[in-house]
Amino acid sequence: MTAEEGVQLSQQNAKDFFRVLNLNKKCDTSKHKVLVVSVCPQSLPYFAAKFNLSVTDASRRLCGFLKSLGVHYVFDTTIAADFSIL
């Protein structure tokens, strides 16, 4: 993890995430804050193994769960990981 990633991680936490989700439920949709979640490629095999699913099914279910909470966009960062290797 780079220093920049550490700073970004420290600025994001579950408390803020759920605070924004709750605010979005209470206000007019034109005033919603857009919530974006990125899923790293390493997390999907963990969820797949934990719930006895294929990686594809785990990805779909995780995305569906996050969207059911009120997340607007869910991005898979696999391509970003591939670019970093190049």
Side-chain angles (χ1 to χ4, degrees), residues 21-38:
L21 281 174
N22 287 328
L23 287 174
N24 281 355
K25 289 177 185 175
K26 295 177 185 176
C27 69
D28 173 328
T29 56
S30 67
K31 296 180 182 178
H32 280 189
K33 288 189 176 186
V34 176
L35 287 167
V36 179
V37 172
S38 60

Side-chain angles (χ1 to χ4, degrees), residues 49-80:
K50 182 165 180 68
F51 297 108
N52 199 28
L53 301 167
S54 70
V55 173
T56 302
D57 285 342
S59 177
R60 285 188 192 129
R61 288 181 186 222
L62 181 60
C63 181
F65 171 71
L66 291 166
K67 288 193 170 214
S68 76
L69 289 177
V71 171
H72 296 94
Y73 301 101
V74 180
F75 293 104
D76 180 346
T77 60
T78 301
I79 194 160

